[in-house]
């Protein structure tokens, strides 16, 4: 804090980096890191010495010279390239009036580098620059400004000369700090750079970072820290942020740089990572405007301020004001930053990254993702142990030499200007404007409604299954059994453009958000319309914007925008819109459609800049298709919005006006998600409103709702459901605010031609081409012909029914047809080859109409064919088969066990799904080999994991990626409740994210946990196909998974909203091909097995999947059909008529499936695989993996949409990308279990393990000792099962810093005590063991008050099922999330405490954070609340708050605290016990309503039974 440079800071920074090496990534070669680096304060004495030695120069005072670390392209010192780059820099330096002192080659040792970093190793040199001496503070700032210009201009010129990513890169060029980084492992940084081990190299500050690349590949320049910051996280809204920043270039002018501002632009680039772009914009805001670094960070990563009563009015006004200035850069993030005056860090609004800090007694500060990163720091020297809280900022000010509290710095910034006044006077509330204007909606003409519905792509299915449930029930309707309908590009029916877009979703690299339980961090409110100059000083001009509270506009709001002009008090126009007709003449063909697209873009640009609308341009444009009718066709709204949005971005006019849409074709949530994702600011779905009102008039609403509902209420309900659905779509990608989501383009286009994407959806991935403008026009024409057919009168037109959701003759093609299911069931029950062949024939024919694999054919070479009897037997092939993860609870016990028996009979594998498994099955042939670990952690115990052959981490589910599972209370029977460790009759919801996987390094930790929990088995990670899944899979392989599953979008038995089922996820063919190619390219494929699943049904499907790179294959729907499933799609209603997907005892009696039915099916399927193998010439399936040269595109039967498909991305042979790499699994991962401290514990505890005799083990521990106690627990579970050992049989007395996942699945019989503190996930999955964490008596005696400090990290006791935990101090966020049976006593918790808790007891002796008990459906919490603050922090949706009056309950809590004091020596607990009669009155009982109801019902039943 004192700004005194020291060698100590340099050495601690290096140690800090190394001691978190497990959080970084390594490539296929352990010597190839993903990137690591350290930013230091300028080492003044070191640089002076070097300048003197090399140049004979005396450097001026610090601040008056600069040193930059520069990368030059590999080998450029032997070519003119380096000289050319240096000449560019020296010329620019001279032009700015600066002086180049000289260049210094940075000494390095590359002997430890792996092949990849060595091949791309740059040459690093330092440039020394000076300016005239005796600078004032103002002069020094000008010097820094010049340095920024030199760096930006040099890199731009070098890029023009050498091309992007050429290897020329300036790591840092400032007067105050210098960065050493590269494509290194953490251990290699100080080994590689000799400077860092020089004893004279000193610093007063350091930022350290190690990278785990998942969205971009490793490179030297992408390593961090960057220029001002390092970033642990993900910017989910990057595409939108970049588009907005680029378009702002047209209105940006720096008050500092003036006419030189364009030299700093664009501030964003497609060649930088998300972190690089964030850093560049942060630097622009800080150096090109008069904002301080903390203020700029607050702008880019705002707190969750909407509806947050804990924030002051001043802070709310500041954030509201800045929401008018720029959109948030949204996503999970811990950003550490410095500009030499400040060093600090901030956390995203949802607290999705760990950050702990210590302040020492000698005024040193250590902030890092983990504690324990400085081994030489004793607890006796630490005066503060805390954590960075969600949305908060840690800030150290070197000028004042102190830590500035979050509230102080933010209140100071918020009070600097009259933000509240500016917002109040400047913004226009659209809702209020519409109410006050008296605008009326146009009258509805129901006579023509059906025609318009057909014209705009409605169907009777969509009315019944989507719109009515939204308008009556205020939420989207659910579907189940996946999506087996044709892709839009393959459909022979006309489809909307929206249908070609698939929502992207978070998996591994960042988490989805829970839009229901954590809604407090989400918002749909957006300021729209003209923005101000981003770089200008804050002022009222930034607030001249329209505030849209709900993006789905009412008819009255649209009428106001179209017909009214909002004026200032002086009568001048403040907000005015131009309406642009988006229709074009019928019969004008594709040329007419394209001309209309061009016209609306030109008209929008003219309207905004003035043009024919007058000298002053409008503030909004309305794209309206209301003129569509018999003679005019409407442009698809998504095309028109996307085209105008991107045209205005290209002309840098987009920030000048809002884009609204008055459209007939937007009707469902996916339509809204796409139109907002491509830049729309508000949409009025007038046809949806009209048809709802018509259905109300026709009596359909009353017949469905069983009551009268007004039109106004219908529309309000529909908008509410649309808003909730939008938030769910946003949340899947981890995006919190609609303002950030708009224009973010978080979609992939599947089957759209480049000509469409380039014009209307620039930057969107479209890998397989497909439908072009001509085909889009033809679909529009067909919709129009359905609306206005020849020779019919007005009243005879019926609304289309196209069979999109359910199979119907003549409707949309589906993979599962009645004929195919009948034949499959006959084949399964009788073993009939003829029935199977007919099933296979029908299915393969349907594939041609539905799936991408249906567009492929085998390239058989008769000369290569071999006799069938030379092919490996069916018994070997079926070992590669697995049944899908269908949970016990979603399907019946009979179906679940039948599948397990069948797969064990075959030698294949069945999967438990996320609902756990009855331990009674572990010892017989009902045991599922694959035990799944999902976000709900139902039934996940040490014993469960120990009894597996493979543990599968479900990152996402094909049918609903980005969403959590839900099991209604009526399906939670006594048996299901016991298996899941929950309360029967109480509904269960899985969180959308795994709360211990917010990043790739978190996944690596969970893989490590699970490998410790079952050292002899595999750990699998289940991903869902989407663009980029290959890079994610590479990260998963580097995270040491043994097995990766790529699921397609079309499978799945789980229930989900239709938006998720239809609009999210991609075909497995795309994901599998990308995964195979990326793993091979990176030399990682031979480490892992790859499986795929998603409507696999025939031998042809399996053979194609194998050729694309899979060695194992998952099946779900087909095996269920063999057991009797008839695809009623009612799984979520508990009404399955054949006993497959129900817990109803009577319906379960109807189950007739037998293991033999599944066995027969798989043997028949495997025989078909053998026949294909013989024709291709393969004797063993392993030799066929990844051999894509045997596949070709089948052009037969293609139509006007599918003929444009280009499937070459699927068929690229992976071996061509990296000829020396393996293309299938041939080796195993090294997990380092032999180095685990648990081995020592196991050896010392043999007597306890074998004979149950007590043992006590003492040991020092460090943060690098992760998952401590887990392998020991495995040994207990294997020997003694779920019963474990008697309490306290093995006592671990430990001192130091508990690593991540301390005590994961700690088994009954182990007591683990830590004198010190611990990291994230302590006690996760606790399985009967006991954990205590507390400071030493000496530290407490020295004045340290544990209750004021943080002793354990985030997500402690996640998924605990039994056992006890006592923490003498505070815990972080999400404490006891999904606890289902453990007792925990803690002295304070962060946000989201007891989230999703379903059982157990939590006693909190201190304050809680916000959103306590969200989703809590079971168990009880007791919170000490003497000041009455707690009710405002509790989420009351599912719980009630009660006082504790019962004597026995008071005694029970007293006993819990007594136990806590005994275990930890807590002085706070002791004081409470001393004054118990008074203290107990201030405890609040948090009691879930459903849990209370079930407890009371059981009590009544027991009383009645006793009375009887």
């Amino acid at each position: 804090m004192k700004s005194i440079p020291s060698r100590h800071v340099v050495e601690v920074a290096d140690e800090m980096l190394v001691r978190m090496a497990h959080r970084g990534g390594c490539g296929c070669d352990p010597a190839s890191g993903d990137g690591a680096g350290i930013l230091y304060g300028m080492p003044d004495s070191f640089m002076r010495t070097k300048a003197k030695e090399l140049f004979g120069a005396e450097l001026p005072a610090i601040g008056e010279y600069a040193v930059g670390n520069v990368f030059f392209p590999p080998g450029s010192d032997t070519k003119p390239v380096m000289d050319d780059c240096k000449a560019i820099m020296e010329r620019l330096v001279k032009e700015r009036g600066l002086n180049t002192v000289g260049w210094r080659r940075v000494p390095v040792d590359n002997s430890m580098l792996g092949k990849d970093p060595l091949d791309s190793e740059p040459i690093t040199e330092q440039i020394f620059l000076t300016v005239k001496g005796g600078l004032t503070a103002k002069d020094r700032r000008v010097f820094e400004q010049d340095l920024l210009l030199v760096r930006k201009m040099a890199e731009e010129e070098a890029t023009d000369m050498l091309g992007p990513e050429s290897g020329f890169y300036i790591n840092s060029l400032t007067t105050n700090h210098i960065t050493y980084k590269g494509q290194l492992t953490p251990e290699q940084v100080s080994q590689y750079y000799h400077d860092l081990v020089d004893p004279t190299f000193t610093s007063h500050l350091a930022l350290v970072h190690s990278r785990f690349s998942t969205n971009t590949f490793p490179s030297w320049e992408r390593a961090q820290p960057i220029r001002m910051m390092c970033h642990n996280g993900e910017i989910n809204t990057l595409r939108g942020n970049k588009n907005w920043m680029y378009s702002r270039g047209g209105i940006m002018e720096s008050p500092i740089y003036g006419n030189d501002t364009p030299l700093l632009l664009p501030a964003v680039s497609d060649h930088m990572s998300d972190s690089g772009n964030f850093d560049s914009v942060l630097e622009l805001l800080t150096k090109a405007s008069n904002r301080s670094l903390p203020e700029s960070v607050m702008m880019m990563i705002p707190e969750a301020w909407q509806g947050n009563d804990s924030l002051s009015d001043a802070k709310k006004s500041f954030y509201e004001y800045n929401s008018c200035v720029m959109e948030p850069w949204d996503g999970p993030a811990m950003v550490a930053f410095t500009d030499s005056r400040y060093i600090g860090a901030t956390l995203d609004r949802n607290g999705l990254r760990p950050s702990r800090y210590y302040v020492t007694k000698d005024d040193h500060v250590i902030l890092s993702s983990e504690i324990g990163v400085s081994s030489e720091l004793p607890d006796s020297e630490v005066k503060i142990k805390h954590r960075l809280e969600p949305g908060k900022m840690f800030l150290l000010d070197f000028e004042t030499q102190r830590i500035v509290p979050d509230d102080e710095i933010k209140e100071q910034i918020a009070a600097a200007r009259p933000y509240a006044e500016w917002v109040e006077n400047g913004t226009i509330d659209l809702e209020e404007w519409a109410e006050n204007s008296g605008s009326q909606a146009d009258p509805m003409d129901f006579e023509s409604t059906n025609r318009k519905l057909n014209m705009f792509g409605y169907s009777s299915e969509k009315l019944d299954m989507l719109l009515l449930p939204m308008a009556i029930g205020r939420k989207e309707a659910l579907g189940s059994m996946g999506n087996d309908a044709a892709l839009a590009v393959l459909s022979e029916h006309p489809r909307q453009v929206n249908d070609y877009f698939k929502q992207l979703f978070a998996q591994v690299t960042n988490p989805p958000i829970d839009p229901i339980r954590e809604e407090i961090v989400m918002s749909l409110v957006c300021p729209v319309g003209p923005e101000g100059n981003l770089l200008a000083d804050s002022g009222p001009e930034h607030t001249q914007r329209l505030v849209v509270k709900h993006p789905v506009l009412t008819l009255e709001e649209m009428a106001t925008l179209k017909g009214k002009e909002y004026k200032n008090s002086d009568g001048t126009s403040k907000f005015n819109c131009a309406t642009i007709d988006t229709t074009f003449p019928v019969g004008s063909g594709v040329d007419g459609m394209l001309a209309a697209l061009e016209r609306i873009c030109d008209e929008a640009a003219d309207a905004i800049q003035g043009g024919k609308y007058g000298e002053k341009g409008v503030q909004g444009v309305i794209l309206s298709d209301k003129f569509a009718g018999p003679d005019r066709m409407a442009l698809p709204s998504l095309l028109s919005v996307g085209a105008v949005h991107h045209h205005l971005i290209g002309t840098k006019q987009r920030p000048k006006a809002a884009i609204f849409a008055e459209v007939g074709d937007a009707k469902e949530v996916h339509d809204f998600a796409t139109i907002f994702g491509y830049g729309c600011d508000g949409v009025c779905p007038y046809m949806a409103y009209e048809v709802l009102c018509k259905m109300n008039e026709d009596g359909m609403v009353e017949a469905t709702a069983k009551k009268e509902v007004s039109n106004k209420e219908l529309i309000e309900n529909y908008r509410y459901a649309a808003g909730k659905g939008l938030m769910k779509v946003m949340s899947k990608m981890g995006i919190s605010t609609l303002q950030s989501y708009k224009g973010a383009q978080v979609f992939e286009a599947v089957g759209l031609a480049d000509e469409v994407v380039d014009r209307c959806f620039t930057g969107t991935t479209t890998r397989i081409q497909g439908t072009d403008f001509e085909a889009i026009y033809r679909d529009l024409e067909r919709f129009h012909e359905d609306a206005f057919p020849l020779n019919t009168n007005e009243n005879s037109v019926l609304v289309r029914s196209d069979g999109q959701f359910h199979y119907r003759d003549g409707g949309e093609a589906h993979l599962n047809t009645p004929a195919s299911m009948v034949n499959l069931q006959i084949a399964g029950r009788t073993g009939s080859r003829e029935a199977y062949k007919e099933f296979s024939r029908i299915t393969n024919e349907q594939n041609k109409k539905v799936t991408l694999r249906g567009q492929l054919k085998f390239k058989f070479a008769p000369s290569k064919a071999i006799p069938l009897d030379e092919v490996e037997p069916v018994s070997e092939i079926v070992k590669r088969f697995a049944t899908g993860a269908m949970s016990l609870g979603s399907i019946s016990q009979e179906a679940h066990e039948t599948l397990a028996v069948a797969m064990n009979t075959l030698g294949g594998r069945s999967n438990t799904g996320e609902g756990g498994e009855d331990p009674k099955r572990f010892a017989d042939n009902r045991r599922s080999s694959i035990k799944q670990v999902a976000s709900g952690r139902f039934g996940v115990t040490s014993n469960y994991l120990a009894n597996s052959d493979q543990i599968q981490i479900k990152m996402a589910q094909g049918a609903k990626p980005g969403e959590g599972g839900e099991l209604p209370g009526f399906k939670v029977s006594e048996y299901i409740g016991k298996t899941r460790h929950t309360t029967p009759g109480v509904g269960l919801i899985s969180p959308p994210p795994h709360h211990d996987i917010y990043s790739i390094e978190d996944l690596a930790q969970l893989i490590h946990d699970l490998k410790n929990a079952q050292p002899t088995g595999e750990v699998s990670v289940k991903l869902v196909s989407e663009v980029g899944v290959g890079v994610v899979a590479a990260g998963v392989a580097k995270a040491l998974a043994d097995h990766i599953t790529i699921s397609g979008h079309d499978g799945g038995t789980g229930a989900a909203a239709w938006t998720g089922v239809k609009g999210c996820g991609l075909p497995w063919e795309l994901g599998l091909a990308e995964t195979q190619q990326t793993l091979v390219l990176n030399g990682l494929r031979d480490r892992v097995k790859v499986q795929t699943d998603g409507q696999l049904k025939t031998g042809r499907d399996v053979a194609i999947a194998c050729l694309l790179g899979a060695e194992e294959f998952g099946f779900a729907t087909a095996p269920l059909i063999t057991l009797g499933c008839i695809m009623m799609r009612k799984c979520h209603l508990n009404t399955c008529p054949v006993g497959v997907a129900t817990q109803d005892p009577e319906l379960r009696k109807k189950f007739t499936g037998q293991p033999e039915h599944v066995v027969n099916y798989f043997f028949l399927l495997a025989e078909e695989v053998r026949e294909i193998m013989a024709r291709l010439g393969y004797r063993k399936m392993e030799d066929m993996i990844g051999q894509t040269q045997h596949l070709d595109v089948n052009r037969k039967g293609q139509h006007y949409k599918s003929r444009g498909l280009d499937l070459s991305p699927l068929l690229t042979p992976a071996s061509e990308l990296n000829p020396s790499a393996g293309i299938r699994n041939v080796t195993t991962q090294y997990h380092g279990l032999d180095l685990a401290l648990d081995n020592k514990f196991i050896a010392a505890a043999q007597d306890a393990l074998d004979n149950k005799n007590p043992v006590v083990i003492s040991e020092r521990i460090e943060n690098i000792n992760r998952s401590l106690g887990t392998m020991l627990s495995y040994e207990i579970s294997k020997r003694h099962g779920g019963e474990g050992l008697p309490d306290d049989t093995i006592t671990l007395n430990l001192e130091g810093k508990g690593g991540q996942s301390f005590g994961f699945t700690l088994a009954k019989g182990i007591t683990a005590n830590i004198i010190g503190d611990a990291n994230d996930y302590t006690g996760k999955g606790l399985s009967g063991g006991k954990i205590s964490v507390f400071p030493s008596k000496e530290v407490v005696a020295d004045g340290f008050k544990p209750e004021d400090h943080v002793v354990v990290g985030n997500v402690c006791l996640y998924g605990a099922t039994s056992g006890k935990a006592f923490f003498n101090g505070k815990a972080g966020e999400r404490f006891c999330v999904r606890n289902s049976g453990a007792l925990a006593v803690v002295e304070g918790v962060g946000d989201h405490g007891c989230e999703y808790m379903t059982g157990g007891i939590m006693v909190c002796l201190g304050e809680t954070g916000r959103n306590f008990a969200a989703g809590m459906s079971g168990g009880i919490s007791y919170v000490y609340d003497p000041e009455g603050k707690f009710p405002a922090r509790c989420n009351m949706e599912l719980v009630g708050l009660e006082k504790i009056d019962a004597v026995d309950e008071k005694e029970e809590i007293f006993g819990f605290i007594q136990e806590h004091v005994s275990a930890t020596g807590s002085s706070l607990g002791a004081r409470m016990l001393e004054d118990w009669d008074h203290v107990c009155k201030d405890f609040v009982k948090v009691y879930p309503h459903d849990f209370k109801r079930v407890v009371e019902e059981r009590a009544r039943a027991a009383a009645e039974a006793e009375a009887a």
Side-chain angles (χ1 to χ4, degrees), residues 166 558 565 762 1150 1449:
S166 63
M558 180 51 69
E565 180 179 6
T762 313
K1150 298 178 182 292
E1449 195 166 21

Side-chain angles (χ1 to χ4, degrees), residues 894-1218:
E894 292 79 7
H896 203 265
E897 293 183 358
T898 300
L899 288 171
V901 171
M903 299 315 291
N904 288 331
T905 302
L906 285 168
R909 291 175 172 179
S910 64
N911 191 318
T912 60
E914 68 173 285
E917 184 174 82
D918 187 342
K920 293 176 182 176
R921 292 167 53 178
F922 292 170
D924 59 34
N925 69 345
R926 296 174 299 159
R927 169 186 180 269
S928 289
S929 297
I930 305 172
K931 301 289 195 290
Q932 193 174 72
V933 173
S935 62
R937 303 292 160 94
F938 297 113
V940 176
T941 65
S942 175
N943 192 37
Y944 170 82
L945 298 174
N947 283 279
S948 66
D949 299 325
Q950 181 187 98
I951 303 170
Q952 183 181 77
I953 302 169
K954 182 171 84 169
M955 288 306 310
Q957 183 172 334
K960 48 179 177 182
E963 299 183 43
E966 186 167 353
L967 195 67
F970 51 71
K971 292 188 82 170
V972 185
S973 64
E974 289 284 339
Y975 180 71
I976 300 302
K978 181 181 178 183
T979 305
R980 294 192 176 215
H981 295 257
T982 64
T983 307
V986 177
L988 301 174
I989 305 170
S990 298
H994 287 254
H995 281 300
D996 55 352
I997 307 178
Y998 294 152
S999 63
I1000 183 65
E1001 63 262 33
D1002 294 341
L1003 174 63
Q1005 178 59 45
L1006 181 57
I1007 290 170
H1008 186 70
D1009 295 340
L1010 297 175
K1011 199 67 182 182
N1012 277 265
Q1014 171 37 313
T1016 64
E1018 295 177 336
V1019 177
S1020 173
V1021 176
K1022 180 179 180 180
L1023 305 173
V1024 172
S1025 176
E1026 67 173 330
V1027 62
V1029 73
V1031 185
V1032 172
V1036 169
K1038 288 189 288 187
L1040 301 183
D1042 305 300
H1043 183 280
I1044 297 171
T1045 294
I1046 304 294
S1047 288
H1049 69 117
D1050 43 8
T1053 55
W1058 280 112
T1059 297
V1061 173
K1062 291 283 190 180
C1064 200
L1066 294 177
W1068 61 256
E1069 297 93 327
L1070 283 170
L1072 175 61
E1074 182 188 344
T1075 296
Q1076 175 74 0
Q1077 292 163 17
T1078 308
L1079 290 176
V1080 172
L1081 177 65
N1082 287 274
L1084 297 167
R1085 179 63 179 87
D1086 59 353
R1087 290 189 188 187
V1088 294
K1089 294 177 183 174
V1090 174
Q1091 177 182 309
T1092 198
D1093 65 37
Q1095 296 289 351
L1096 296 179
K1097 298 189 181 303
T1098 68
R1100 180 182 186 276
D1101 292 341
V1102 169
I1104 289 175
C1106 182
L1107 292 171
L1108 289 176
E1111 51 224 315
E1112 295 183 2
F1113 314 92
F1115 305 82
T1117 305
L1120 285 186
I1121 292 172
T1122 67
L1123 295 179
C1125 170
I1126 54 175
M1127 293 291 287
M1128 289 289 289
R1129 299 184 188 271
K1130 303 292 184 185
C1131 313
H1132 53 295
L1133 301 178
N1134 206 35
T1135 57
C1136 175
V1138 291
V1140 170
T1142 181
Q1143 303 307 320
D1144 185 307
E1146 292 304 313
L1147 292 175
R1148 282 169 55 192
K1149 293 176 183 176
K1150 298 178 182 292
F1151 181 79
T1152 59
Q1154 296 294 323
E1156 294 74 23
H1157 301 162
V1158 179
V1159 170
N1160 288 340
Y1161 163 61
F1162 278 132
F1163 272 133
L1164 290 165
L1165 187 153
E1167 191 59 47
E1168 185 183 1
V1169 174
R1170 291 183 73 239
E1171 292 168 3
I1172 294 170
M1173 289 172 64
R1175 293 184 67 188
L1176 289 173
Y1178 286 103
R1179 290 172 174 80
K1180 289 190 174 183
M1181 205 165 184
E1182 65 183 28
D1183 298 325
M1184 196 164 80
I1185 296 166
Q1187 304 295 338
T1188 56
Q1189 69 271 18
H1190 297 298
L1191 292 173
D1192 201 358
V1193 177
N1194 183 8
R1195 295 288 178 189
K1196 288 183 181 177
Q1198 291 188 335
H1199 49 75
Y1200 66 99
K1201 286 188 279 191
S1202 60
R1203 69 188 176 205
L1205 282 172
D1206 174 12
L1207 298 183
S1208 57
L1210 271 69
L1211 304 182
T1212 302
S1215 56
E1216 292 181 5
L1217 303 175
N1218 187 352

Side-chain angles (χ1 to χ4, degrees), residues 40-48 62 65 177-178 180 200-203:
Y40 287 112
M42 187 63 71
D44 184 48
S45 60
F46 175 83
M47 292 303 177
R48 288 181 182 284
I62 191 163
Y65 72 88
H177 66 254
I178 191 162
Y180 290 80
T200 65
F201 191 101
T202 60
S203 177

Side-chain angles (χ1 to χ4, degrees), residues 1005 1008-1009 1012 1236-1239 1241 1259-1262 1264-1273 1292 1294 1297-1306 1310 1312 1314 1323 1331:
Q1005 178 59 45
H1008 186 70
D1009 295 340
N1012 277 265
L1237 191 55
D1238 266 45
N1239 293 305
F1241 295 165
E1259 191 70 48
R1260 280 203 63 82
I1261 58 172
E1262 302 176 290
I1264 57 176
N1265 301 128
R1266 299 177 293 141
S1267 313
L1268 217 56
T1270 305
M1271 285 173 64
L1272 179 60
S1273 297
L1292 304 177
L1294 310 170
K1297 312 297 176 186
Q1300 288 181 293
S1301 300
F1302 176 81
F1304 173 62
T1305 62
L1306 198 70
I1310 304 175
I1314 295 181
I1331 295 175

Side-chain angles (χ1 to χ4, degrees), residues 1220-1368:
S1220 63
I1223 62 170
R1224 61 180 176 86
N1225 178 236
V1226 294
T1227 187
T1228 57
Q1229 299 270 29
Y1230 173 62
H1231 293 271
L1233 299 188
D1234 55 314
L1235 305 177
L1237 191 55
D1238 266 45
N1239 293 305
K1240 188 174 182 179
F1241 295 165
I1242 292 166
Q1246 281 303 313
D1247 192 25
L1249 293 170
D1250 295 337
N1251 306 312
K1252 302 186 180 181
N1253 292 325
V1255 299
V1256 177
I1257 303 168
S1258 298
E1259 191 70 48
R1260 280 203 63 82
I1261 58 172
E1262 302 176 290
N1263 75 305
I1264 57 176
N1265 301 128
R1266 299 177 293 141
S1267 313
L1268 217 56
T1270 305
M1271 285 173 64
L1272 179 60
S1273 297
Y1274 165 78
E1275 295 295 333
I1276 291 175
S1277 295
K1278 289 303 287 184
R1279 288 169 166 84
H1280 306 288
E1283 291 298 312
L1285 293 170
D1287 286 345
D1288 306 319
T1289 302
I1290 301 172
T1291 300
L1292 304 177
N1293 289 328
L1294 310 170
E1295 188 170 355
K1297 312 297 176 186
Q1300 288 181 293
S1301 300
F1302 176 81
F1304 173 62
T1305 62
L1306 198 70
K1308 188 174 184 298
I1310 304 175
T1311 297
N1313 305 311
I1314 295 181
I1315 299 176
D1317 39 12
N1319 279 291
D1320 292 351
Y1321 322 134
T1322 297
K1324 183 171 68 174
L1326 189 65
S1327 300
K1330 296 181 188 176
I1331 295 175
S1332 302
V1333 182
F1334 50 91
S1336 70
K1337 293 177 181 177
E1338 294 77 14
V1339 168
V1340 175
D1342 197 28
F1344 187 84
K1345 292 185 176 180
E1347 64 267 30
D1348 296 333
H1349 300 267
V1350 174
V1351 69
V1352 288
N1354 296 333
V1355 198
C1356 294
L1357 300 173
Y1358 178 22
T1361 56
S1362 58
K1364 297 178 180 181
F1366 305 101
F1367 301 126
N1368 184 196

